[in-house]
Amino acid sequence: EDKVVQSPLSLVVHEGDTVTLNCSYEVTNFRSLLWYKQEKKAPTFLFMLTSSGIEKKSGRLSSILDKKELFSILNITATQTGDSAVYLCAVLPAPNTPLVFGKGTRLSVIA
Amino acid sequence: DGGITQSPKYLFRKEGQNVTLSCEQNLNHDAMYWYRQDPGQGLRLIYYSQIVNDFQKGDIAEGYSVSREKKESFPLTVTSAQKSPTAFYLCASSIWGGIAKNIQYFGAGTRLSVL
């Protein structure tokens, strides 16, 4: 059974801290890994990773994939209260199959 | 504006009642999906459809039904057979096929509660 595990499940940090969110997976025929941010309602797309070792970056957020060890991390530097959200990791296990989602990490950034 | 529209935002169901959640997209996407989100559970797939007039069960299809008569519309019916329907329901769509095309875009969700 395809599985995506995120850790930690929840995290509380102070503004300005750097955080690392983890996503490990066990799927057949891995194709890609995606990160989403969910604040109140609709998850919004952050990154898609397909190759090991290539960092994707957007502002203070960055992500990297390790296909050998089957995990990805999402880093957020200089956190702000606006980063408070649930961060979802999803994996595409094979062509023409739906994404498999993890349970998410709830990040709370306090002033 | 292009996007995915879910309605209503809030819905209440009486016992024994079927209710239908609407999902419409104008992104010209082939595939559409329904997820259920419970606290601490992440997103669980209910049904998905790759093309018109075809759909597949996801991990938790029991107690739900769908139809795909038009490319832009994928309504979800929560039937009386679904014993624990209270949850947040998310609809998504994507282009189908190819690695880069499997980015799913989400609607704002419908929160369903039981009276």
Side-chain angles (χ1 to χ4, degrees), chain A residues 9-66:
Chain A
L9 291 180
S10 66
L11 188 56
V12 180
V13 301
H14 288 97
E15 269 192 318
D17 287 350
T18 293
V19 298
T20 298
L21 309 184
N22 303 293
C23 176
S24 63
Y25 59 90
E26 292 176 29
V27 296
T28 52
N29 299 321
F30 172 90
R31 289 290 190 250
S32 61
L33 184 145
L34 291 81
W35 285 97
Y36 287 85
K37 177 183 181 182
Q38 184 180 23
E39 292 184 74
K40 293 255 194 261
K41 296 180 178 177
T44 53
F45 171 73
L46 294 174
F47 299 114
M48 183 171 71
L49 303 123
T50 55
S51 302
S52 276
I54 298 176
E55 185 183 53
K56 292 281 180 99
K57 203 168 167 60
S58 176
R60 296 176 294 101
L61 277 66
S62 63
S63 183
I64 198 159
L65 175 68
D66 186 329

Side-chain angles (χ1 to χ4, degrees), chain B residues 15-112:
Chain B
E15 202 159 325
Q17 189 182 39
N18 292 353
V19 292
T20 297
L21 285 60
S22 169
C23 179
E24 304 275 332
Q25 54 99 359
N26 60 6
L27 300 168
N28 200 32
H29 284 170
D30 309 298
M32 297 185 75
Y33 313 80
W34 274 106
Y35 293 92
R36 170 179 171 143
Q37 188 174 32
D38 296 281
Q41 290 290 324
L43 301 186
R44 293 187 289 168
L45 183 66
I46 304 173
Y47 271 98
Y48 67 103
S49 167
Q50 301 170 31
I51 55 172
V52 173
N53 292 323
D54 189 37
F55 47 82
Q56 282 76 43
K57 291 182 180 179
D59 301 318
I60 54 165
E62 186 174 346
Y64 300 97
S65 66
V66 293
S67 62
R68 186 89 186 275
E69 296 175 4
K70 299 185 296 182
K71 186 176 183 178
E72 55 272 18
S73 179
F74 192 40
L76 173 75
T77 297
V78 183
T79 75
S80 56
Q82 172 47 248
K83 296 307 176 192
S84 302
T86 297
F88 188 52
Y89 290 87
L90 284 162
C91 178
S93 70
S94 71
I95 298 172
W96 187 257
I99 295 173
K101 296 175 180 177
N102 277 96
I103 298 171
Q104 290 183 21
Y105 298 92
F106 287 84
T110 293
R111 191 165 296 281
L112 175 63

Side-chain angles (χ1 to χ4, degrees), chain A residues 8-17 19 21 76 79-87 105-111:
Chain A
L9 291 180
S10 66
L11 188 56
V12 180
V13 301
H14 288 97
E15 269 192 318
D17 287 350
V19 298
L21 309 184
I76 309 174
T79 51
Q80 302 170 357
T81 54
D83 295 326
S84 296
V86 174
Y87 290 84
T105 293
R106 180 174 295 278
L107 174 66
S108 300
V109 182
I110 55 178

